[in-house]
Amino acid sequence: MKAIFNVVHATLLQPLPTRQGNRLVVIWVNNLEQSWSRIGPTGQDYLDWKEQSKSFDDLFLFEHGTGTVTGLGEPEQVAGLRVTTNFGEFFGIKPVLGRTFRLEEAGSRHNFAILGYGYWQRRFGSDPSVAGRGMTLNGEEYTIIGVLPADFAALFPTDVVVPFDTDWVKRVDGDLGVFGRLTSGVTLGQASGEMNVIAERIATARPLRKGFGTVLVPLEAVRVEYLRPALLVLLVAVGFVLLISCANVANLILARSVARQREMAIRMALGAGRLRLIRQFLAESTMLALLGGTAGALLALWSTDLLNVFVPSRIPVPNAADAVTLQGIHMSSAAVALTMVISLLTGIVFGVIPALQSLRCNVNESLKEGGRGFSIGPGGYRTRSTLVIVESALAFVLVIGAGLMIKSFWHLLEANPGFRPDHHADVAD
């Protein structure tokens, strides 16, 4: 469970490495008449939104792409990102080296470049004097002005970032990305209403944009909206496994307590109070639980390393022509704290039940019958039966759920994609 919690924590609970990430939204355009949903706006759309909207403190425009770097050894194709010059201010970026773009640089074209942290390490060997050096990108000379922080790759896993200029933005006819930061006090619904009004104005001024509306989705939600249900189902499933394990341990401790009835009877006959005996049970069960939790944490640490190998780092986002980058999965302090809390609670809860069952015995009868063996009372039978029923019910739910998931996966494999993936056709000249 701890390994799965690490995945959930890294994917769903970690905040974005940006300034005021909870107020950032993604803005797409749609066209219901054309059955288009979540498509990139044009550059002019962005300029109109920036000029007319009051619901946003700022808007940010970007475009993914690739480029070829030459002059630094072997030519290399790199992941590129073209952005508006408010890039650094919008996200609150503190570069490792140098600076980001300046707002006043938007008026004309400047061949400046910012390196991604990973690319800086890989291609430049983490050279601290890289700022100010030149590089050739797509046959043009660029000046390196800074290096992005390492955690920014969780939002944009890029190698090189270059700026837009305003004239170029005006000519781009689509497939761009736009983020907006909501003004303090403005809700997503209010911003959506304003953007729909602006869309009507745009359609009046530019008839080619008739029928186009806007779609606003919080950036944090976009990143996990297709992952959240699957991860929560997985978390619930491993939670069921944990409950089954706890019920098994409780049954074993309860069975062991039956064998200790004579011991408990002798202790009580010698003057030990019931509260003192309960503390003894709790100390034993809590120690076992903490040892088990420590072993589980070590196993989770190893499992987390495996997950980093097999879990993809990029997850496609349907209907958005994009993908999100998952942050690295690691054994977080929250996971360690959760491990200790669950272990402690398990030790307390499943230590108290057997203790109470053992201390309900009649001291005289237990001492008399000690030589003939021990038996559990009606209350003990009910407790053990309840635990067995709970285990069976949870196991049944898990088996049914696993069967349905296997069936769905099988149907997915058997689905006809509409083409022969094992064949290819030669294209004639």
Side-chain angles (χ1 to χ4, degrees), residues 36-203:
W36 292 342
S37 174
R38 294 188 178 187
I39 62 175
T42 67
Q44 189 59 51
D45 288 337
Y46 163 78
L47 294 174
D48 289 339
W49 294 344
K50 193 173 180 65
E51 179 184 357
Q52 300 181 38
S53 66
K54 306 298 181 184
S55 298
F56 300 98
D57 286 338
D58 200 2
L59 295 175
F60 164 73
L61 181 72
F62 65 95
E63 180 186 39
H64 291 289
T66 58
T68 302
V69 174
T70 55
L72 297 173
E74 291 294 325
E76 179 183 9
Q77 188 175 62
V78 297
L81 187 70
R82 195 184 298 271
V83 300
T84 45
T85 55
N86 62 343
F87 173 62
E89 189 277 334
F90 186 88
F91 292 109
I93 296 173
K94 296 180 179 179
V96 176
L97 293 173
R99 64 174 179 88
T100 59
F101 308 119
R102 298 192 178 105
L103 296 179
E104 60 270 20
E105 292 170 349
S108 58
R109 182 171 181 178
H110 296 275
N111 282 10
F112 293 145
I114 302 175
L115 303 181
Y117 188 85
Y119 185 67
W120 172 59
Q121 286 188 316
R122 184 178 72 252
R123 194 64 188 261
F124 294 89
S126 302
D127 183 0
S129 62
V130 71
R133 288 178 54 179
M135 65 182 297
T136 304
L137 178 63
N138 292 338
E140 295 186 41
E141 291 299 319
Y142 282 78
T143 301
I144 300 170
I145 63 171
V147 176
L148 295 174
D151 60 357
F152 195 74
L155 186 61
F156 286 117
T158 186
D159 296 324
V160 181
V161 184
V162 297
F164 285 124
D165 63 84
T166 304
D167 289 338
W168 195 93
V169 170
K170 292 178 180 179
R171 299 194 302 269
V172 183
D173 60 0
D175 204 23
L176 301 176
V178 175
F179 291 168
R181 182 188 301 110
L182 291 172
T183 301
S184 179
V186 175
T187 66
L188 186 66
Q190 291 171 337
S192 297
E194 184 196 41
M195 292 298 287
N196 287 331
V197 172
I198 293 175
E200 294 177 0
R201 294 182 197 151
I202 292 175

Side-chain angles (χ1 to χ4, degrees), residues 86-422:
N86 62 343
F87 173 62
E89 189 277 334
F90 186 88
F91 292 109
I93 296 173
K94 296 180 179 179
V96 176
L97 293 173
R99 64 174 179 88
T100 59
F101 308 119
R102 298 192 178 105
L103 296 179
E104 60 270 20
E105 292 170 349
S108 58
R109 182 171 181 178
H110 296 275
N111 282 10
F112 293 145
I114 302 175
L115 303 181
Y117 188 85
Y119 185 67
W120 172 59
Q121 286 188 316
R122 184 178 72 252
R123 194 64 188 261
F124 294 89
S126 302
D127 183 0
S129 62
V130 71
R133 288 178 54 179
M135 65 182 297
T136 304
L137 178 63
N138 292 338
E140 295 186 41
E141 291 299 319
Y142 282 78
T143 301
I144 300 170
I145 63 171
V147 176
L148 295 174
D151 60 357
F152 195 74
L155 186 61
F156 286 117
T158 186
D159 296 324
V160 181
V161 184
V162 297
F164 285 124
D165 63 84
T166 304
D167 289 338
W168 195 93
V169 170
K170 292 178 180 179
R171 299 194 302 269
V172 183
D173 60 0
D175 204 23
L176 301 176
V178 175
F179 291 168
R181 182 188 301 110
L182 291 172
T183 301
S184 179
V186 175
T187 66
L188 186 66
Q190 291 171 337
S192 297
E194 184 196 41
M195 292 298 287
N196 287 331
V197 172
I198 293 175
E200 294 177 0
R201 294 182 197 151
I202 292 175
T204 301
R206 293 186 283 132
L208 290 177
R209 302 304 285 172
K210 184 178 180 180
F212 284 87
T214 57
V215 180
L216 276 64
V217 183
L219 178 58
E220 292 179 335
V222 170
R223 291 173 50 81
V224 298
E225 62 181 330
Y226 293 97
L227 296 175
R228 187 189 301 274
L231 288 178
L232 292 181
V233 168
L234 188 59
L235 187 63
V236 170
V238 297
F240 280 6
V241 173
L242 175 64
L243 290 176
I244 292 173
S245 302
C246 290
N248 270 322
V249 172
N251 251 331
L252 291 174
I253 295 177
L254 187 59
R256 182 169 176 267
S257 68
V258 174
R260 300 181 66 184
Q261 283 185 0
R262 182 177 175 81
E263 175 194 340
M264 295 299 107
I266 293 174
R267 289 177 181 273
M268 286 189 286
L270 293 176
R274 292 178 179 267
L275 183 59
R276 181 174 181 179
L277 295 178
I278 289 176
R279 287 202 301 267
Q280 178 184 339
F281 270 98
L282 285 177
E284 294 173 357
S285 62
T286 302
M287 181 62 68
L288 288 174
L290 290 176
L291 288 174
T294 301
L298 295 175
L299 182 61
L301 184 62
W302 174 75
S303 302
T304 300
D305 292 336
L306 284 181
L307 288 173
N308 277 316
V309 174
F310 292 106
V311 173
S313 60
R314 295 276 287 167
I315 303 295
V317 179
N319 301 323
D322 201 357
V324 299
T325 302
L326 301 183
Q327 301 188 45
I329 303 169
H330 59 277
M331 191 70 175
S332 63
S333 57
V336 175
L338 178 68
T339 299
M340 294 300 105
V341 169
I342 290 178
S343 299
L344 188 61
L345 290 178
T346 301
I348 293 174
V349 173
F350 294 101
V352 167
I353 296 174
L356 294 178
Q357 291 296 331
S358 296
L359 298 178
R360 287 175 184 172
C361 66
N362 184 288
V363 175
N364 293 328
E365 292 298 324
S366 296
L367 291 175
K368 290 177 183 178
E369 298 178 1
R372 300 194 299 269
F374 308 104
S375 61
I376 189 170
Y381 278 118
R382 285 195 298 271
T383 302
R384 296 185 67 180
S385 299
T386 300
L387 291 173
V388 170
I389 292 172
V390 169
E391 290 180 61
S392 302
L394 293 175
F396 183 76
V397 172
L398 284 175
V399 170
I400 294 299
L404 291 174
M405 290 184 69
I406 292 173
K407 182 180 179 181
S408 299
F409 184 67
W410 178 257
H411 286 167
L412 183 64
L413 293 177
E414 293 295 311
N416 183 6
F419 60 91
R420 297 284 300 275
D422 56 337

